[in-house]
Amino acid sequence: MPTPTRRRPPAAEKRARAVEIVDRLARAMPDVRIALEFGNDLELLVSVILSAQSTDAGVNRATPALFARYRTAADYAAAAPEELWPFIRSLGLYRNKAKAIVAAMAAIAAEHGGRVPRTREALEALPGVGRKTAGVVLVHLGAAHAFPVDTHVGRVARRLGLTRQADPSKVEQDLMALVPEERWGEAHQLFVWHGRRTCDARRPACSRCPVEELCPKRGVPVAMRR
């Protein structure tokens, strides 16, 4: 009697599917990169703080004049938050963001020699820097592996059936368990671009999705699966 074929555990199948999703997205978007424009570590951190509830395009329009005026952590630390308002007034929550930037830069100037720290613990200790912001900075500094979860990453992960969680920290845990650590940053950026370009919140373009056949379309109404 032939020996029955052993099935891989469901967790292994799910991990393999997650890797295949990342592979296909990478082939479809070989030019994937962060859309924020920055020239150094400080500018990256400021841009990421400003990007909360704002578009990257809007941030990129606001930052050239801001970066020309404030070049070092000490420059920001010496300013009152309202001095930043004219540069970032076009962005959402600009008053809170100005306050966070000045406070974070004051801490960087006083505690880190004017350089952006390269550990999650130190980044999250900065005023106004949460887990997602710290993760994005770490990924794009090449300082550590991280899988930051924004609205695009969370939506794409849920639709693909890679998580059932709504809380970003729990979504991050699920994704880190499925994707190899060395690909966390790559997968993060791929999911962001896929969410912006194809897997739109209101009208996902399923007909041109490179991972359509791997996607259970969780949360997508049948009428929208076109």
Side-chain angles (χ1 to χ4, degrees):
M1 184 175 180
T3 303
T5 302
R6 294 186 61 186
R7 288 178 54 82
R8 289 181 297 172
E13 293 179 0
K14 195 171 184 179
R15 286 195 295 271
R17 186 169 71 88
V19 171
E20 178 63 19
I21 287 168
V22 174
D23 286 343
R24 292 191 186 193
L25 290 177
R27 289 195 293 271
M29 297 179 285
D31 56 339
V32 69
R33 59 176 177 77
I34 189 171
L36 294 172
E37 297 171 357
F38 58 93
N40 56 51
D41 297 2
L42 290 173
E43 292 180 1
L44 169 62
L45 176 58
V46 171
S47 294
V48 176
I49 292 174
L50 292 175
S51 69
Q53 298 187 38
S54 299
T55 66
D56 289 351
V59 173
N60 290 340
R61 287 192 293 271
T63 51
L66 179 71
F67 293 160
R69 172 62 180 83
Y70 302 98
R71 297 181 179 275
T72 68
D75 290 340
Y76 286 100
E82 55 268 29
E83 293 179 47
L84 275 61
W85 292 358
F87 299 96
I88 62 174
R89 195 182 299 273
S90 60
L91 305 176
L93 304 174
Y94 70 91
R95 289 182 176 86
N96 290 338
K97 291 175 181 178
K99 183 178 179 180
I101 290 169
V102 169
M105 291 299 173
I108 289 173
E111 302 167 17
H112 301 283
R115 299 184 60 82
V116 175
R118 290 175 170 252
T119 67
R120 180 179 289 281
E121 180 181 23
L123 279 167
E124 291 188 19
L126 298 174
V129 176
R131 183 170 182 83
K132 189 201 80 172
T133 296
V136 173
V137 171
L138 289 170
V139 165
H140 295 289
L141 288 183
H145 297 301
F147 207 136
V149 174
D150 65 0
T151 55
H152 301 294
V153 174
R155 179 177 68 255
V156 168
R158 283 186 290 273
R159 285 179 173 172
L160 287 167
L162 301 179
T163 184
R164 293 182 180 273
Q165 303 294 334
D167 181 81
S169 63
K170 293 180 179 179
V171 174
E172 183 179 13
Q173 291 171 10
D174 286 347
L175 294 175
M176 290 191 298
L178 293 171
V179 177
E181 182 176 352
E182 65 274 13
R183 301 193 71 181
W184 289 350
E186 174 195 11
H188 154 78
Q189 196 62 58
L190 287 166
F191 280 27
V192 169
W193 272 32
H194 186 56
R196 289 175 176 171
R197 295 180 168 193
T198 304
C199 198
D200 183 76
R202 296 185 179 182
R203 298 194 64 83
C206 298
S207 63
R208 58 178 174 82
C209 174
V211 295
E212 193 272 339
E213 66 186 73
L214 298 173
C215 181
K217 303 180 180 66
R218 290 182 179 165
V220 180
V222 173
M224 297 174 63
R225 299 178 184 183
R226 299 289 185 267

